[in-house]
Amino acid sequence: MLDQNSSTRPLILNGQPAADRWVLVRDEDATLPDDSPAIVSLARWQALEGSRALAPWLASDTELTPELAEELSGSPLIAIDFPKFTDGRGYSLARLLRERYGYTGEIRVVGDVLVDQVYFLSRCGFNALSLREDQWIEDAMRALKAFSRAYQPAVDVAEPLFRQRMREASQRPAAALA
């Protein structure tokens, strides 16, 4: 079965609203679309890798081993499924892909994704946000800019706020400090 909602789901790519050219195929037995690239399960992607424009989606309980990360490194897109908005394991998968394994392609969140999550998803390494169909893209765009600074380091800003402030203070002329 194709994800019937994939074309109606709001998509934000690299901080901007975007048209979705990928089709999410959740059913293992569904026929893949001829005219669009497809996001398929990890197992199906591994079986068909290289045969067409495909990308894998990872279940939230996927164990991201160094071997799997190496295999995924050639994919233009990796989707991570959030089966429920309360399941936070996908945040860790995205952060591991970016920080530990150096993945630079598109990491897309799919599933039960709410506007309330977009800021934190982007901090963990997601650069493509496929929202639940009942969420408004305008609200999500505002939520991405809800905070001007963060205390903690993350994928988007690796330096914690206290170090940023110390560096900025050390660069000021001595007269400005008096």
Side-chain angles (χ1 to χ4, degrees):
M1 171 175 107
L2 298 179
D3 185 340
Q4 301 300 323
N5 300 320
S6 64
S7 62
T8 60
R9 286 177 168 271
L11 178 69
I12 298 173
L13 180 61
N14 297 321
Q16 298 298 318
D20 194 355
R21 62 184 196 93
W22 290 84
V23 175
L24 180 60
V25 181
R26 292 223 183 240
D27 188 346
E28 290 295 319
D29 299 322
T31 304
L32 298 177
D34 292 328
D35 56 347
S36 299
I39 301 170
V40 296
S41 71
L42 177 61
R44 193 169 188 184
W45 179 78
Q46 288 171 321
L48 299 173
E49 188 177 7
S51 63
R52 55 177 292 139
L54 295 176
W57 62 267
L58 306 179
S60 61
D61 63 350
T62 300
E63 183 180 349
L64 191 58
T65 63
E67 296 79 19
L68 178 56
E70 176 64 30
E71 188 177 356
L72 294 169
S73 68
S75 178
L77 179 153
I78 299 171
I80 298 175
D81 188 35
F82 275 58
K84 297 178 187 174
F85 73 90
T86 57
D87 185 346
R89 295 174 290 178
Y91 290 98
S92 299
L93 286 172
R95 192 149 185 189
L96 286 170
L97 282 166
R98 292 281 189 224
E99 292 181 332
R100 184 177 294 172
Y101 299 113
Y103 182 76
T104 58
E106 180 180 324
I107 299 180
R108 178 182 295 205
V109 61
V110 296
D112 193 18
V113 182
L114 305 177
V115 166
D116 300 1
Q117 298 169 285
V118 298
Y119 175 75
F120 303 105
L121 290 164
S122 68
R123 296 219 63 223
C124 290
F126 288 97
N127 64 328
L129 310 164
S130 179
L131 304 171
R132 206 167 71 184
E133 54 278 340
D134 65 344
Q135 302 296 288
W136 293 88
I137 199 158
E138 296 82 8
D139 292 340
M141 295 300 294
R142 277 191 297 280
L144 279 174
K145 297 173 179 71
F147 303 100
S148 59
R149 293 189 126 176
Y151 292 110
Q152 305 86 359
V155 172
D156 60 345
V157 179
E159 186 178 42
L161 184 59
F162 79 91
R163 285 212 178 108
Q164 293 173 37
R165 288 183 173 162
M166 288 174 49
R167 182 178 31 76
E168 291 166 2
S170 70
Q171 294 172 349
R172 285 190 216 123
L177 297 175

